[in-house]
Amino acid sequence: MSKIKPAKGAPYARILGVGGYRPTRVVPNEVILETIDSSDEWIRSRSGIASRHWANAEETVTAMSVEASGKAIADAGIDPGQIGAVVVSTVSHFKQTPAVATEIADKIGAGRPAAFDISAGCAGFGYGLTLAKGMIVEGSAEYVLVIGVERLSDLTDLEDRATAFLFGDGAGAVVVGPSREPAIGPTVWGSEGDKSETIKQTVPWTDYRDGVVERFPAITQEGQAVFRWAVFEMAKVAQQALDAAGISPDDLDVFIPHQANMRIIDSMVKTLKLPEHVTVARDIETTGNTSAASIPLAMERLLATGKAKSGDTALVIGFGAGLVYAATVVTLP
C-alpha cells in the first residue's frame, strides 16, 4: 500500500479574472499593402482582418504580459502574492532560457511561484488552462496565472503574400483558482505531427546564425491545407468538448475560437449548428492572429463590451502549429 498522502486540492477550478493588453500602434491593411501585391478587399475577404496591433520597442513580451496580468489579477480580486504558478504560452520570446515566466512572476510581485513557458502555438492558452486546472485540483497551487503572449510581428515576413497580413501582437491573461462547482470542463486535446509542415518556422535559428540564410526566420503556412483541417477536423474536436462537458450547442452562451481566420470561424459556427443566441468572438477583425494570446484577448473584449457576461457558458478552442489543438467548455469570470 502506498504511503503517499492524497492531494488536498480544490474539488474544481474556474477562471476568476481576465486581462488583456493590445499594443498602442494600430496597423491597417494599407500598411501591409506597401510590401505585398494584394488589396484591402482581398485581405478582408480571405481573412476578415482590417487591422492589427504591432508592438513597439518598449512593448516587449514581458511588458505586455505584465500589463495583462495586472488586469487579470485585479479582476480576480486576489493579491499577486497568492499566485502559486505562472504558465506562459509563447513562440516569440527569443531567449531560450530562462523562461520568460520567471521574469514576469518577479515583475508582478508574485513572490516565488512555479514559473515556466510552454510552446503549443495557437493552442497554447488551452494547454495552459488545462495545466492550471490540474495544479489547483491536485493541490500544488491555489491560484495559477495563465498567459498567452506574442510579438508575431517579429516573425512575420512582410514580403510573403500568404502571411504578411495575418499576424498581430498582444497579451492575454487569466487567473485560475478554486471552485465549489465544475467551471472548466474536460479538455479535448492532441496533435497531428504528420501535418507539422503546414505551419512552421521557415528555418532553424542556427541557419540564420551560421549564415546559411540571410533572411531572419519567419512563420510560414500552407493556407488551404490549414483551412481545410481547421474547418473539418476542429469542428469535430469542438463537438467532442461539448459532449465531454455534457452540454449541447443550445446550452452555450458564447463561442470563443482561436482567432485565425474569419472564414474558419464562420464555417465552424455553421458546422456546429450553433443557435443564433450564441455570441461568437470575431476579434480577429481588428486584432489579427495573435496565436496563444487570441482566446484570452477575445474573452476580455467580449466581457468588457458587454457582449458576454459573468457566468456565461463558453466553448473555447485553439488550434495551430504542430498541428496541435485544445478545446474545453468554461464558465466566464
Side-chain angles (χ1 to χ4, degrees):
M1 181 178 292
S2 173
K3 297 180 181 179
I4 300 174
K5 294 181 179 180
K8 295 183 178 180
Y12 306 105
R14 69 183 303 120
I15 300 174
L16 299 174
V18 60
Y21 180 82
R22 301 164 195 268
T24 55
R25 182 188 178 194
V26 177
V27 180
N29 287 339
E30 286 73 18
V31 173
I32 306 299
L33 296 174
E34 294 174 3
T35 53
I36 61 171
D37 180 17
S38 188
S39 68
D40 177 64
E41 180 183 5
W42 188 90
I43 294 173
R44 289 173 184 258
S45 65
R46 292 302 180 97
S47 68
I49 299 172
S51 62
R52 71 286 292 147
H53 295 257
W54 282 356
N56 61 33
E58 288 74 37
E59 292 168 320
T60 63
V61 165
T62 298
M64 293 190 293
S65 297
V66 169
E67 290 291 329
S69 298
K71 295 175 183 177
I73 292 167
D75 192 40
I78 67 168
D79 185 90
Q82 294 177 270
I83 294 172
V86 177
V87 182
V88 178
S89 178
T90 185
V91 298
S92 48
H93 173 58
F94 295 144
K95 287 184 179 180
Q96 193 71 38
T97 191
V100 72
T102 59
E103 182 180 356
I104 295 167
D106 176 64
K107 289 186 178 297
I108 64 173
R112 300 174 63 183
F116 57 94
D117 301 348
I118 58 175
S119 177
C122 305
F125 175 75
Y127 276 48
L129 188 64
T130 303
L131 294 172
K133 173 186 173 182
M135 283 185 267
I136 290 161
V137 173
E138 187 261 350
S140 60
E142 185 176 12
Y143 298 99
V144 179
L145 178 65
V146 179
I147 303 166
V149 57
E150 302 291 2
R151 273 184 55 122
L152 294 182
S153 57
D154 291 332
L155 286 169
T156 299
D157 181 352
L158 296 179
E159 297 179 1
D160 181 355
R161 189 174 184 270
T163 61
F165 59 89
L166 282 177
F167 302 119
D169 302 337
V174 298
V175 172
V176 183
S179 175
R180 296 178 181 175
E181 60 184 13
I184 301 175
T187 299
V188 177
W189 57 354
S191 65
E192 297 186 35
D194 60 316
K195 300 180 181 66
S196 60
E197 291 295 304
T198 55
I199 307 174
K200 63 180 182 179
Q201 185 173 304
T202 50
V203 296
W205 302 115
T206 49
D207 281 6
Y208 181 73
R209 180 199 65 188
D210 298 339
V212 177
V213 296
E214 295 183 358
R215 188 182 290 267
F216 193 75
I219 297 174
T220 185
Q221 69 175 32
E222 299 174 15
Q224 287 301 315
V226 173
F227 181 86
R228 289 192 297 270
W229 176 78
V231 168
F232 295 109
E233 297 302 323
M234 291 306 97
K236 298 176 186 177
V237 171
Q239 183 61 57
Q240 290 169 13
L242 291 175
D243 294 342
I247 67 172
S248 72
D250 290 337
D251 298 317
L252 278 180
D253 300 303
V254 185
F255 178 42
I256 310 177
H258 165 48
Q259 303 295 292
N261 182 298
M262 194 76 79
R263 292 166 62 204
I264 291 175
I265 294 170
D266 291 340
S267 294
M268 290 182 70
V269 169
K270 183 177 180 180
T271 302
L272 288 167
K273 298 179 180 179
L274 296 184
E276 290 188 5
H277 75 263
V278 176
T279 297
V280 180
R282 292 187 172 88
D283 194 45
I284 188 172
E285 181 179 4
T286 57
T287 305
N289 180 343
T290 56
S291 188
S294 77
I295 290 175
L297 278 174
M299 182 185 295
E300 188 255 359
R301 175 164 280 175
L302 287 175
L303 290 166
T305 58
K307 294 181 179 180
K309 64 183 185 299
S310 174
D312 278 353
T313 299
L315 169 63
V316 299
I317 179 169
F319 45 86
L323 292 170
V324 296
Y325 55 87
T328 188
V329 176
V330 303
T331 300
L332 294 182

